[in-house]
């Protein structure tokens, strides 16, 4: 069985869990170790199974807790060289593994595909994880979705997809103009509508479960994101994520390969 959960999702912290009976990996660790452990315990997810953490980019909402988490539990942390160079010293763990965007990394039964994306960081990447025959993508912090995002999303059974802002709330909201422009730019974040367009463009069939992710506290509401996707509910299981609590744990049978 494969379990998939957003431990935290939003602009104050991101951490995504993919695990099977034996092993698990985390994508990003943008909340404290204490919070990660507390939330995993709430969902009966075992930290001892986590074999590695993969970092998407250097923004603190993606790596605030990584050093303490990885050093305490002796986990390797995967960075690209440019992301590491732009990482503050207080966030650098002991056990660092470098990779290049585009590389495919194997850990136990997991294959992790990395790829470049558009975002205002040094070397932003996203990941698609294959385990037990199930393909899970983590696609947040994306300005304009590029061919890489489209290609990997097309190959997902499950995806965490950014629905950062509602267009109207952003433009009518309290952010200073420069920040509004930054959020909406090709290197900022994806709106509810952009995410929906992206999913609609996919050839139907493979994507069955979609976690609406990295929802802004200031420029969006969970209900607005859910509403945007309401006409896709028939064919895709839409799950909301939250900055305050872990999401529901999605459990999929998958293929057991070690029998
Ligand atoms: Zn972020
Ligand atoms: Zn970011």
């Amino acid at each position: 069985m494969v379990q998939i959960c957003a431990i935290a999702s939003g602009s104050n912290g991101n951490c995504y869990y993919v695990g099977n009976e034996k092993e698990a990996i985390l994508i990003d660790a943008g909340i404290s170790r204490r919070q990660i452990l507390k939330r995993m315990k709430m969902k009966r997810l075992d930290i001892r199974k986590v074999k590695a953490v993969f970092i998407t980019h250097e923004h603190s909402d993606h790596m605030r807790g990584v050093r303490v988490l990885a050093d305490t539990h002796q986990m390797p942390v995967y960075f690209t060289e440019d992301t590491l160079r732009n990482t503050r010293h207080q966030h650098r763990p002991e056990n660092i593994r470098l990779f290049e965007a585009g590389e495919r990394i194997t850990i136990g039964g997991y294959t992790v595909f990395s790829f470049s994306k558009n975002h205002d960081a040094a070397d932003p990447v996203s990941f698609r994880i294959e385990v037990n025959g199930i393909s899970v993508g983590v696609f947040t912090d994306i300005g304009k979705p590029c061919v890489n995002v489209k290609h990997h999303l097309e190959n997902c059974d499950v995806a965490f997809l950014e629905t950062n802002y509602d267009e109207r709330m952003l433009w009518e909201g309290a952010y200073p103009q420069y920040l509004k422009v930054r959020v909406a730019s090709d290197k900022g974040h994806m709106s509810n509508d952009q995410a929906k367009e992206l999913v609609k463009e996919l050839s139907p069939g493979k994507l069955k479960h979609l976690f609406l992710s990295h929802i802004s506290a200031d420029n969006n509401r969970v209900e607005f994101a859910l509403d945007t996707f309401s006409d896709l509910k028939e064919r895709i299981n839409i799950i909301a994520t939250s900055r305050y609590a872990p999401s529901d744990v999605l459990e999929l049978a998958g293929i057991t390969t070690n029998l």
Side-chain angles (χ1 to χ4, degrees):
M1 182 182 59
V2 177
Q3 293 181 302
I4 301 148
C5 178
I7 307 293
S9 185
S11 37
N12 62 344
N14 291 273
C15 183
Y16 303 92
Y17 173 99
V18 181
N20 61 13
E21 285 86 350
K22 289 193 307 186
E23 299 165 318
I25 60 168
L26 295 177
I27 304 294
D28 291 332
I31 55 174
S32 70
R33 167 186 171 262
R34 216 173 124 246
Q35 271 296 322
I36 292 173
L37 261 61
K38 186 179 154 199
R39 294 180 183 204
M40 284 180 68
K41 209 170 162 193
M42 279 166 69
K43 294 293 172 183
R44 298 171 189 271
L45 302 172
D46 187 351
I47 192 73
R48 289 169 302 185
K49 278 202 237 168
V50 177
K51 298 297 173 214
V53 187
F54 288 80
I55 298 294
T56 58
H57 63 299
E58 69 273 20
H59 293 161
S60 60
D61 60 315
H62 296 264
M63 61 163 70
R64 197 178 285 120
V66 75
R67 184 181 60 79
V68 177
L69 181 80
D71 290 356
T72 308
H73 301 277
Q74 287 153 5
M75 299 163 186
V77 184
Y78 287 77
F79 293 81
T80 74
E81 209 175 331
D82 277 344
T83 297
L84 182 64
R85 196 174 299 132
N86 285 277
T87 294
R88 292 190 210 156
H89 280 275
Q90 76 254 35
H91 290 152
R92 292 186 186 195
E94 277 170 24
N95 190 350
I96 289 168
R97 308 272 167 92
L98 293 177
F99 71 94
E100 280 179 29
E103 214 173 296
R104 175 202 299 201
I105 299 143
T106 308
I107 294 178
Y110 290 75
T111 307
V112 181
F113 298 84
S114 66
F115 59 91
S116 295
K117 64 182 176 189
N118 292 315
H119 190 54
D120 59 354
D123 188 15
V125 294
S126 273
F127 300 102
R128 182 169 65 82
I129 300 116
E130 285 186 359
V131 62
N132 297 75
I134 290 170
S135 177
V136 184
V138 181
F139 308 130
T140 70
D141 301 72
I142 291 167
K144 189 175 162 38
C146 61
V147 285
N148 289 343
V149 171
K150 291 176 187 168
H151 167 73
H152 284 282
L153 183 59
E154 195 115 73
N155 283 291
C156 285
D157 303 291
V158 183
F160 294 93
L161 185 65
E162 174 169 66
T163 49
N164 181 257
Y165 64 95
D166 170 77
E167 306 268 353
R168 197 163 149 197
M169 276 189 81
L170 175 72
W171 294 110
E172 291 180 1
Y175 272 22
Q177 186 65 17
Y178 81 91
L179 206 52
K180 292 179 180 178
V181 170
R182 199 217 126 217
V183 168
S185 78
D186 286 357
K187 292 197 173 267
H189 293 277
M190 257 198 311
S191 69
N192 297 339
D193 291 342
Q194 276 177 299
K196 160 87 176 294
E197 279 312 301
L198 186 60
V199 173
K200 273 178 75 181
E201 275 176 29
L202 300 178
S203 42
K206 194 159 163 77
L207 185 68
K208 288 282 183 288
H209 308 274
L210 188 65
F211 288 85
L212 305 181
S213 304
H214 213 298
I215 296 175
S216 168
D218 302 307
N219 302 314
N220 207 354
R221 294 209 186 119
V222 173
E223 311 87 84
F224 291 171
L226 286 169
D227 268 3
T228 309
F229 282 82
S230 58
D231 58 332
L232 293 174
K233 274 197 311 206
E234 301 275 291
R235 62 180 175 95
I236 301 174
N237 172 27
I238 308 285
I239 305 157
T241 67
S242 164
R243 58 189 48 225
Y244 305 110
S247 70
D248 292 341
V249 178
L250 175 67
E251 297 188 339
L252 299 174
I255 302 162
T256 305
T257 48
N258 57 350
L259 286 179

